[in-house]
Every structure is written in structure tokens, then in C-alpha cells.
Amino acid sequence: MNRFVFIFVLLAGLFGNYAACAQEPIVIKFSHVVTSDAPKGKAAEYFKRLAEKSTQGKVRVEIYPNSVLYKDREELEALQLGAVQMLAPTMAKFGPLGIKDFEVFDLPYLFPNKEALRRVKHGPVGKMLLKKLQAKGLTGLAYWDNGFKVMSANRPLKMPEDFKGLRMRIQDSRVLDAQMRALGAIPEAMVFSDVYSALQKGVIDGTENPPSNLYTQRMHEVQKHVTVSNHGYLGYAVIVNTKFWNGLPAEIRDKLEEAMWETTLYADRIAEEENARALDAVKRSGKTQVHTLTPAEAAAWRARLLPVHAELETRIGKDTVNAVKREIRRLQ
Ligand code: LMR
């Protein structure tokens, strides 16, 4: 084979391969623990559509919902190892990673309303908190909303005394542990995907979550009573593997950041609707009695739970707690 033909074949092979490689989409594996029709599930699907459209297929987002790929604790390790590229855990799940500041979001009765919550999340304090993830090889992109939590059990929960001795499932957060102890309950940290069967088998007596999670996980089918307490908030931090993110072509990263912000607005927009719809569906199911706290009952819960702030501020970090409270007060 003469030299020119050889060089031509070689180059064709190289360009052929490069073209083939160049055309392969960049894959973002996005793992999460809720169903596709829960607020976070819908936001993930929305992001997928926007990201694939705005990058004209140069990026493919593969979503793995409902813990099919990784359960709660595993998913953070998988992200650090690069086995997946994107997650959106709740702020309650960063403690085991050694970042306790995010547990500030678990403090009972911290946010007087969603405006204050959004100011904290999308403002300088929220950005400051996301920066703390860098030390763990993670990059925080955004905060997605879910909502304020209800409590559930197989007996009515109207006054703090009603929690006495109940085994209540919590996310792996020290603040939530202290919250349940303050109510006289026994906190049981457990991964989300195990909660339904643990309730069904009576391993635990009750739990807390926004109505959208309670309903999409069918927990209301194994809980006779739900109390609309809005005693605490549950939301998400969207995070990526830093090495992966910094390794992206700049124009792709820009497009993904735009898609992420648009999705954040979408997530904040649907969260309240989804929770209202879920609570309504729980009521209509006839399987669960729904009780909304009276002002007197709510006052008793507040009196019992607000001391958790002072108890946990050292663990969370006084600077973080003060920064969040200053931001909440700023426009009140
Ligand atoms: C939970 O574990 O209760 C929630 O974090 C699940 C979720 O991600 O919404």
C-alpha cells in the first residue's frame, strides 16, 4: 500500500473516530429518590427537556427516579465518585457528608412564609451555603422547592403530648432528631425508599413530609391520621460532580445553567400546587383523616419546638443561623 493511501486511510480512520466521538452526547445521569410525578421528579423531567433542547442533543439527561439506581446515602457517594453526574437531595441529607450548615433549613418554624424562604435560598446566603460543597468535590447549582411538612401517624396528632413514645421516621438530620425528641417521640433515621414498608409493617409509627411526598409514596394508605402543621420546610439543593461540571465545554455549561435557572422557577411555581393537589387527594381517598392545627394547638407546638434552634445552633454554625435569620428579618 503506497504511503499516501496509508496516510489517507489513517486520517480517515482518525476523523471517522473523532466524528463518532464528537457526536456522542454528553450523558448526565440524574438519580433521585422520589417518584417522577412528585415535585422534584417533575422538575428533573423539565430540566431534561430544556437541557436536551437547548444543547441540540449534545447533552442527554438520563433520569433514575425512586431510588432505582441509588438510595439516599449511596447517591452522594456515587456523585463524588462520578458514577452519576447530578442529584437533588434535600438539605437534610448533607450532615453525613460533614456539611452541617444545610440543617439550618430543618429548624422548625424558621421561615414565616415562602417569600422569606426564597430570599434566603436564591440570595447571597443561599449562594454562600452552596459554596461550602466545593470542599467535597461537589458544585451546588440551585435550590428547588417542595414545601412545608405535615405529620402523620395512626393516631391523631393535635397536641405535642400526642407524640409521646411514637417511633417517627426522619431524614438523617440532627435537627430533625432533636425536633422529634422535643415532641416526646423516638426519632428513626431511615432512607426514603424504606419508609412505606416500615410504616406498613409497623416498624415505625409515623413520619413527616410535604403532602406531595406522602401521597406519591402512598404513605396515606398506611397512616390513619395526617396533621397539617407546616412545622418545617423540605427543599432540595441541585448538585453536580465538580470535575465533571468544570470539564464541560463552556458553551454547554452556559446552556445547562440557563436551563437550570428556568427549571428552578418552574419548580418553585409547581411546588405549592402539587402539595395542595396531593393534600386534597389524601382527603378524598377516605383512607386518612386530615386535621389542621388550631391556633392554640399551633402555639403549643411552637412553644415545644422553638427551643430546638438554640440547642442546635452550635452544630449548624452560629454564623449560618444568624445569616439566615438576618435575611429573614431584613424585609419583615
Ligand atoms: C425524604 O427522605 O423524606 C425526602 O427527602 C425525600 C425527597 O427527596 O423529597
Coordinates of all heavy atoms in Angstrom, one line a residue, residues 151-153 157 163 166-170 180 185-189 204-208:
M151 N -47.4 16.1 59.5 CA -47.0 14.9 60.3 C -48.1 13.9 60.1 O -49.3 14.2 59.9 CB -47.0 15.3 61.8 CG -45.9 16.2 62.2 SD -44.4 15.3 62.5 CE -43.4 16.6 63.4
S152 N -47.7 12.6 60.2 CA -48.7 11.5 60.0 C -48.4 10.4 61.0 O -47.3 10.2 61.4 CB -48.7 11.0 58.6 OG -47.4 10.3 58.4
A153 N -49.5 9.7 61.4 CA -49.4 8.6 62.3 C -50.7 7.8 62.3 O -51.6 8.2 61.5 CB -49.0 9.0 63.8
L157 N -52.7 13.6 65.9 CA -51.6 14.3 66.4 C -52.0 15.8 66.5 O -51.9 16.5 65.5 CB -50.3 14.2 65.5 CG -49.8 12.7 65.3 CD1 -48.7 12.7 64.2 CD2 -49.3 12.1 66.6
F163 N -47.5 12.9 70.7 CA -46.4 12.2 70.1 C -45.7 11.2 71.0 O -44.8 10.4 70.6 CB -45.3 13.2 69.6 CG -45.7 14.0 68.4 CD1 -46.6 15.1 68.4 CD2 -45.2 13.6 67.1 CE1 -46.9 15.7 67.3 CE2 -45.6 14.2 66.0 CZ -46.4 15.3 66.0
L166 N -44.0 7.7 70.3 CA -44.2 7.2 68.9 C -42.8 7.1 68.2 O -42.0 8.0 68.4 CB -45.0 8.2 68.1 CG -46.5 8.2 68.3 CD1 -47.2 9.3 67.4 CD2 -47.1 6.8 68.1
R167 N -42.6 6.1 67.4 CA -41.4 6.0 66.6 C -41.6 6.7 65.3 O -42.4 6.3 64.5 CB -41.1 4.5 66.4 CG -40.7 3.7 67.6 CD -40.9 2.3 67.5 NE -42.3 2.0 67.1 CZ -42.7 0.8 66.6 NH1 -41.9 -0.2 66.4 NH2 -44.0 0.6 66.3
M168 N -41.0 7.9 65.1 CA -41.2 8.7 64.0 C -40.0 8.7 63.0 O -38.9 9.1 63.4 CB -41.5 10.2 64.4 CG -42.8 10.3 65.3 SD -44.3 10.0 64.4 CE -44.5 11.4 63.4
R169 N -40.3 8.4 61.8 CA -39.2 8.4 60.8 C -38.8 9.8 60.4 O -39.6 10.7 60.2 CB -39.6 7.7 59.5 CG -38.5 7.6 58.4 CD -38.6 8.8 57.5 NE -37.5 8.8 56.6 CZ -37.4 9.7 55.6 NH1 -38.2 10.6 55.4 NH2 -36.3 9.6 54.7
I170 N -37.4 10.0 60.4 CA -36.9 11.3 60.0 C -35.8 11.0 58.9 O -35.3 9.9 58.8 CB -36.3 12.0 61.1 CG1 -35.2 11.2 61.8 CG2 -37.3 12.5 62.1 CD1 -34.3 12.0 62.8
M180 N -38.0 15.8 66.9 CA -38.9 14.7 67.4 C -38.7 14.4 68.9 O -39.7 14.1 69.6 CB -38.6 13.4 66.6 CG -39.0 13.5 65.1 SD -40.8 13.8 64.9 CE -40.9 13.7 63.1
A185 N -41.3 12.1 71.0 CA -41.3 10.9 70.1 C -39.9 10.3 70.0 O -38.9 10.9 70.5 CB -41.7 11.3 68.7
I186 N -39.8 9.2 69.4 CA -38.5 8.5 69.2 C -38.1 8.6 67.8 O -38.8 8.0 66.9 CB -38.6 7.0 69.6 CG1 -39.1 6.9 71.1 CG2 -37.3 6.3 69.4 CD1 -39.7 5.5 71.4
P187 N -37.1 9.4 67.4 CA -36.7 9.6 66.0 C -36.1 8.3 65.4 O -35.2 7.7 66.1 CB -35.7 10.7 66.1 CG -35.2 10.8 67.4 CD -36.2 10.2 68.3
E188 N -36.4 8.0 64.2 CA -35.8 6.8 63.5 C -35.3 7.3 62.1 O -36.1 7.6 61.2 CB -36.9 5.7 63.3 CG -37.5 5.2 64.5 CD -36.7 4.0 65.1 OE1 -35.7 3.7 64.5 OE2 -37.1 3.5 66.2
A189 N -34.0 7.5 62.0 CA -33.5 8.0 60.7 C -33.6 6.8 59.8 O -33.2 5.7 60.1 CB -32.0 8.4 60.9
I204 N -42.1 1.5 62.2 CA -42.2 2.8 62.7 C -43.7 3.2 62.8 O -44.5 2.5 62.1 CB -41.5 3.9 61.8 CG1 -41.9 3.6 60.3 CG2 -40.0 3.8 61.9 CD1 -41.4 4.7 59.3
D205 N -44.1 4.2 63.6 CA -45.5 4.6 63.8 C -45.9 5.7 62.9 O -47.1 5.9 62.5 CB -45.7 5.0 65.2 CG -45.3 3.9 66.2 OD1 -45.8 2.8 66.0 OD2 -44.4 4.1 67.0
G206 N -44.9 6.6 62.5 CA -45.3 7.8 61.8 C -44.2 8.5 61.1 O -43.0 8.0 61.2
T207 N -44.4 9.6 60.5 CA -43.4 10.3 59.8 C -43.8 11.7 59.5 O -44.9 12.2 59.8 CB -43.0 9.6 58.5 OG1 -41.8 10.2 57.9 CG2 -44.2 9.6 57.5
E208 N -42.9 12.5 58.8 CA -43.2 13.8 58.3 C -42.7 14.0 56.9 O -41.7 13.4 56.5 CB -42.5 14.9 59.3 CG -41.0 14.7 59.3 CD -40.2 15.8 59.9 OE1 -40.9 16.8 60.4 OE2 -39.0 15.8 59.9

